[in-house]
Amino acid sequence: MNLRDRHFWIILATGALLGTLGVLLAVWGNPENSGICVSCFIENSAGALGFHDNPRMQYLRPELIGFVLGAAVSAIAAREFRSRGGRAPLPRLVSGIFLMVGCAVFIGCPIKLFLRLTAGDLTAAAGVIGLVAGVWAGLRGLSNGVELGTHQREQGGSGLLVPVFFALLLVFLIFRPGFVLSSDKGSAAQYAPWAISLGVGLLLGALAQRSRFCITGSVRDAMLMGLRSYMPWGFLAFCGAAVMFNISSGRFHPGMFGQPGSHPDHIWSFLGMGLVGWISVIIGGCPFRQLIKAGEGDADAGLVVLGMFIGGALVQSWGIAATAAGVSFYGKVAVLAGFTFILATSLLCRERIA
């Protein structure tokens, strides 16, 4: 670890601010333990655009818009914005759908997983073990030659499509056309003031683009390099800041029962996060990281984001998403289908290593 390396401090600042603002957004109005949850926000935003009809999950989340546009502005300013892609588009699209399935069955993305744990939700421990197991499975695949294709630079500015789409969502957020829906009950009706949420998203998007911070990437690097990698230090800063602000704001309630946004089906929490960890390693990042990469011109990540929006609609329309009562039959089938998909993809995309 080189303390004189500016990149180390950028990663540390990104992790600390992600943990701090993840708690504060809940204090300012977002659902408890869900100050930042990429999968929940995508389900909310898909509902706001009319992609599903759950009246409790419809709100165009400003944080999502900020993540992508903040990353785009940062990449353009640093002359790092480049249209690139062409690597296994359909597997990436379907991967995005199953990322949402895993998150919906657990109830939260990897960021929310640790926000729940740092608020004392001990049911999240099953998800942590599952995420680590999934990352391990993904690393085993990579070490055995699983590769989704060669990275290529693209002509025609295709990498701009996702940032332009989110810029359009920003217009919808500000001017609120009649076809954009908004819940008046349920978790989507709980939100921080939109200008604050947008500002937080822009800040975190820019920092994450500069630092390349990723939750599953931190777990991966810890397995491969321990604390010699900078990423786990950012992750520790994230958890430390979240614990500190949860305690100081009176939101730390350790226990297994009565935790917000959780359910008692621990095996399915394990499997849901296991699916997310495995897919994230194969496609190069967690749901948050995919948004950031899409913002800096990565069309492959853009396809994952599109898949996540499709998945966000399907988990609500098909009854896949878990509730406080537990995981539905369709949710269990969808998780098993996700494991079948990623196993088949790994076998079909495996290159023999000489």
Side-chain angles (χ1 to χ4, degrees):
M1 181 175 62
N2 181 5
L3 294 180
R4 295 183 179 180
D5 188 342
R6 187 176 65 173
H7 188 58
F8 169 76
W9 293 105
I10 293 176
I11 290 179
L12 213 62
T14 304
L17 278 173
L18 190 64
T20 301
L21 295 171
V23 176
L24 289 180
L25 279 171
V27 174
W28 293 330
N30 280 5
E32 197 168 357
N33 292 357
S34 300
I36 293 175
C37 174
V38 171
S39 60
C40 308
F41 291 175
I42 286 178
E43 291 175 42
N44 290 171
S45 298
L49 296 174
F51 295 168
H52 66 72
D53 59 358
N54 185 343
R56 302 171 62 89
M57 295 292 286
Q58 295 167 336
Y59 176 58
L60 198 54
R61 290 284 178 183
E63 296 89 346
L64 277 188
I65 299 169
F67 293 154
V68 174
L69 296 185
V73 171
S74 173
I76 291 170
R79 297 183 179 180
E80 293 180 349
F81 188 95
R82 292 180 181 84
S83 295
R84 55 190 188 275
R87 298 184 298 173
L90 281 178
R92 289 181 185 278
L93 180 73
V94 179
S95 293
I97 295 173
F98 281 116
L99 273 179
M100 291 300 297
V101 167
C103 291
V105 165
F106 170 73
I107 309 184
C109 72
I111 292 177
K112 179 175 175 177
L113 164 67
F114 288 100
L115 287 178
R116 281 174 51 180
L117 188 68
T118 55
D121 180 357
L122 300 182
T123 66
V128 173
I129 298 170
L131 186 73
V132 172
V135 170
W136 176 84
L139 284 174
R140 291 284 297 172
L142 294 182
S143 66
N144 282 287
V146 176
E147 171 59 61
L148 290 186
T150 305
H151 191 77
Q152 297 176 351
R153 184 166 181 172
E154 292 189 336
Q155 302 296 325
S158 62
L160 285 169
L161 290 176
V162 171
V164 167
F165 171 66
F166 277 85
L168 180 63
L169 294 185
L170 178 60
V171 174
F172 291 168
L173 175 70
I174 295 173
F175 295 101
R176 305 287 179 123
F179 56 81
V180 173
L181 306 174
S182 186
S183 298
D184 56 11
K185 59 183 178 181
S187 60
Q190 301 173 43
Y191 48 83
W194 73 267
I196 293 177
S197 297
L198 180 63
V200 167
L202 288 168
L203 174 64
L204 292 178
L207 280 171
Q209 193 279 324
R210 299 307 305 150
S211 66
R212 277 67 174 172
F213 184 76
C214 171
I215 296 293
T216 54
S218 301
V219 178
R220 177 202 61 202
D221 283 8
M223 287 183 177
L224 292 175
M225 295 180 284
L227 293 179
R228 288 174 296 168
S229 168
Y230 293 163
M231 199 87 80
W233 288 99
F235 172 75
L236 291 174
F238 162 71
C239 291
V243 168
M244 185 175 69
F245 276 87
N246 271 314
I247 292 174
S248 61
S249 62
R251 291 170 178 268
F252 184 76
H253 303 294
M256 295 284 290
F257 304 100
Q259 297 289 349
S262 67
H263 60 70
D265 289 346
H266 306 308
I267 291 177
W268 291 100
S269 291
F270 170 86
L271 292 174
M273 272 295 117
L275 179 62
V276 172
W278 190 349
I279 292 176
S280 295
V281 170
I282 297 299
I283 63 175
C286 65
F288 177 65
R289 179 71 185 136
Q290 297 299 323
L291 287 169
I292 302 304
K293 288 166 68 177
E296 58 186 22
D298 189 328
D300 289 334
L303 277 169
V304 176
V305 171
L306 180 59
M308 289 196 293
F309 267 86
I310 296 172
L314 293 182
V315 298
Q316 291 296 325
S317 298
W318 292 1
I320 292 171
T323 65
V327 181
S328 68
F329 171 75
Y330 298 116
K332 296 173 182 177
V333 171
V335 167
L336 295 179
F339 278 111
T340 303
F341 160 75
I342 192 61
L343 179 60
T345 300
S346 298
L347 292 174
L348 292 172
C349 298
R350 179 171 173 263
E351 295 182 357
R352 293 189 177 278
I353 300 174

